[in-house]
Amino acid sequence: MPKKYTAQCACGAVKFQFDTDPSFIANCHCNDCKRASGGEMATFFGVPADDFELLSGQPKAFHYIANSGKGLDRNFCPECGSRVFTDNLETFPGTVFVQLGSLDQPDLIAPKLEMFDMRRLHWVKPLDLPQYDAMPD
């Protein structure tokens, strides 16, 4: 039975789903997220790992040490290269962070905060959301 949220990479080889309505949904302006997303920021949200279900494909993980000094695995499709989720975060055990753009219906989820706003590019206007200089507590 399909879950509430379904997602996939650009080519459809990697597919996953989950039911949890995320509570932590962030636009992140840190340099790590800019480089990983290839954009001016990244929008992602947390899902409990026990609700996250990989349906198809075998994502390739890239282990990365963030500016915090903590490790994480960025997972992407080995066929099309789309970054789809991040897991094995030392700072958030038991949580998978999903890239908003991988959702089949991304308009179902909206950001609730912006972080690392001191790294925001000067031409990007802040949203009417809580703003944080770093990762909120």
Side-chain angles (χ1 to χ4, degrees):
M1 173 138 224
K3 293 192 176 194
K4 182 174 183 178
Y5 299 100
T6 57
Q8 62 185 322
C9 65
C11 74
V14 174
K15 294 182 180 185
F16 56 94
Q17 63 183 4
F18 57 94
D19 279 323
T20 303
D21 290 321
S23 58
F24 181 85
I25 310 162
N27 282 348
C28 185
H29 297 276
C30 79
N31 288 334
D32 285 342
C33 282
K34 288 178 192 172
R35 287 186 183 103
S37 71
E40 40 89 16
M41 68 171 174
T43 304
F44 58 84
F45 54 89
V47 174
D50 60 2
D51 182 32
F52 183 89
E53 181 183 359
L54 185 63
L55 298 172
S56 67
Q58 188 61 43
K60 181 166 176 53
F62 173 74
H63 188 71
Y64 183 78
I65 304 299
N67 284 337
S68 66
K70 304 291 184 178
L72 52 90
D73 289 344
R74 291 185 174 141
N75 291 270
F76 59 94
C77 173
E79 300 300 319
C80 68
S82 297
R83 181 174 162 214
V84 287
F85 62 89
T86 301
D87 63 359
N88 298 322
L89 291 97
E90 289 182 42
T91 51
F92 294 94
T95 304
V96 176
F97 283 93
V98 175
Q99 298 302 120
L100 180 74
S102 64
L103 290 177
D104 292 330
Q105 294 183 299
D107 58 330
L108 294 177
I109 295 176
K112 294 187 176 186
L113 62 95
E114 293 195 281
M115 57 190 201
F116 292 94
D117 60 345
M118 74 280 204
R119 299 270 187 224
R120 180 189 330 273
L121 298 176
H122 73 279
W123 48 265
V124 177
K125 303 287 186 237
L127 296 177
D128 187 19
L129 297 170
Q131 304 289 314
Y132 296 91
D133 286 338
M135 175 72 78
D137 295 329

